[in-house]
Structure formats: C-alpha cells, structure tokens
C-alpha cells in the first residue's frame, strides 16, 4: 500500500507538521510506505486556466507537480495537512490542488477518472487553526473534499483542531496527537 502525504504549512515544527508526523507514524506502523511532500519547499506554478489540459488531461507546465501527479496516480491513501489561513487551506496546498485541474479534466471531460488500485483510495485531512469558531474550517474542508473527489478518493476523514495558534500548541492538546496517530493507522487498515 502506498500513501502520499502533503504538508501545507510553511512553519517548520509547527502544529500541522506535528499532526502530520503522528499520522505518518501511524501509517508506517500500519504497514504502508509513505512519501511526504513539503509543499512550501516545492516549485509549483499557479494554474493559469489556459485550457491546456482540457484535451488530454496533461498540464502545460513541467515543474515539481510532475512528481506529485505520479505519486497521486500511484497512491492508495492521501493525507493533506494544512494550517487554516484566512478560513481556508494554505496557499501552498491551494497551489497544488488547483494544478489538479488536469485530473479534473481527465475525470469529467475525458471521462477517465484516476484509477484506484486494489485497496481503493481513501483520504485524511488534518487541519490546525488559531480561531475558536468552528465556521473557520468549513472552507478548508470543502476545498479538500473537492480535491479528494477529483482524484478518486472515495471516502475521507477530517481531524480539525481549532484554538491552536502558537507554534507547537498542538502538543498541549489532550488528544490531538494520539488521534492523528490513530487516524493514520485507521487510514491504512484494509
Ligand atoms: C496568514 C495567516 C492566516 C490565518 N488565518 C486563520 C484563519 O482564518 N482561521 C484560523 O483559525 N487561524 C488562522 N491563522 C492561524 C493559524 O491557522 C494557526 O497559527 C495554526 O496553528 C498554524 O499552523 P502551523 O503551526 O502548522 O503553521 C492564520 C495564520 C496566518 C499566518
């Protein structure tokens, strides 16, 4: 089983990274290989809505998305971990998601959805936000859901932690890191 994980926070050692590390530990201990992409360090151009992928599902740009496209195609499980920025996922995550418009074209225009392997494809969304208001994570969840649907993730779980602002604050949360680990284990159970 292959898992691909995306870290969408620019803050090294921050809450998102801590959550993702635990989820990845659960995934690995559950027997899946994991490839983690630190989106903040990657060269990903923004989608230009040029229509270039409409005909064949192939993006006109060739940058670090090339390795992400391949990893998504080969994946059985996908994890997105993001801080909440202005009520949504971070720009780093959004850049990657928007470039998956080529998968959207494959699925909806060419009617060739990204194939699932023998384990199906499932997802996990991890969110950390500083505000207390539950509304704050709704846009991020909707955005991730649209992405998951586009890349043939048939079901996904969401762990969203609010009122988590200072770097490392998630460590003081009574259950978050254990829940992230458990969610990773569950993600790769058959
Ligand atoms: C540009 C920016 C925008 C933010 N917008 C929100 C927001 O809309 N809602 C929220 O709950 N937290 C918001 N925050 C707070 C972060 O989500 C919070 O600090 C989070 O714990 C950061 O996770 P990290 O340590 O993984 O980077 C924002 C922070 C930044 C830097």
């Amino acid at each position: 089983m292959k898992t691909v994980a995306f870290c969408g926070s620019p803050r090294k050692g921050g809450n998102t990274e801590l959550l993702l590390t635990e989820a990845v530990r659960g995934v690995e201990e559950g027997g899946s290989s994991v490839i983690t992409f630190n989106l903040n360090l990657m060269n990903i151009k923004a989608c230009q809505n040029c229509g270039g992928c409409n005909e064949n599902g192939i993006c006109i740009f060739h940058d670090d998305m090339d390795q992400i496209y391949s990893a998504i195609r080969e994946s059985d499980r996908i994890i997105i971990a993001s801080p909440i920025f202005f009520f949504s996922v971070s720009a780093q995550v959004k850049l990657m998601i928007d470039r998956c418009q080529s998968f959207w074209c494959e699925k909806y225009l060419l009617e060739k959805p990204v194939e699932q392997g023998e384990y199906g494809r499932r997802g996990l969304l991890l969110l950390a936000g500083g505000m207390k208001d539950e509304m704050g994570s709704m846009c991020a969840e909707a955005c991730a859901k649209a992405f998951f649907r586009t890349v043939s993730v048939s079901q996904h779980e969401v762990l969203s932690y609010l009122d988590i602002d200072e770097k490392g604050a998630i460590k003081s949360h009574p259950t978050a890191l254990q829940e992230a680990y458990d969610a990773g284990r569950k993600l790769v159970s058959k």
Side-chain angles (χ1 to χ4, degrees), residues 9 11 14-17 83-87 128-131 164-165:
S9 173
R11 191 151 70 168
N15 302 310
T16 306
E17 196 181 287
I84 297 172
F85 281 180
F86 282 87
F87 280 47
M131 286 168 50
I164 300 292
D165 207 10

Side-chain angles (χ1 to χ4, degrees), residues 8-11 15-17 19 80-93 125-144 158-165:
S9 173
R11 191 151 70 168
N15 302 310
T16 306
E17 196 181 287
L19 283 169
I80 293 188
S82 180
I84 297 172
F85 281 180
F86 282 87
F87 280 47
S88 190
V89 293
S90 67
Q92 288 84 346
V93 173
L125 173 65
L126 302 170
L127 296 171
M131 286 168 50
K132 290 190 176 73
D133 189 345
E134 271 184 34
M135 279 225 342
S137 61
M138 281 172 54
C139 292
E141 288 184 35
C143 175
V158 181
L159 290 184
S160 176
Y161 297 98
L162 304 178
D163 199 13
I164 300 292
D165 207 10

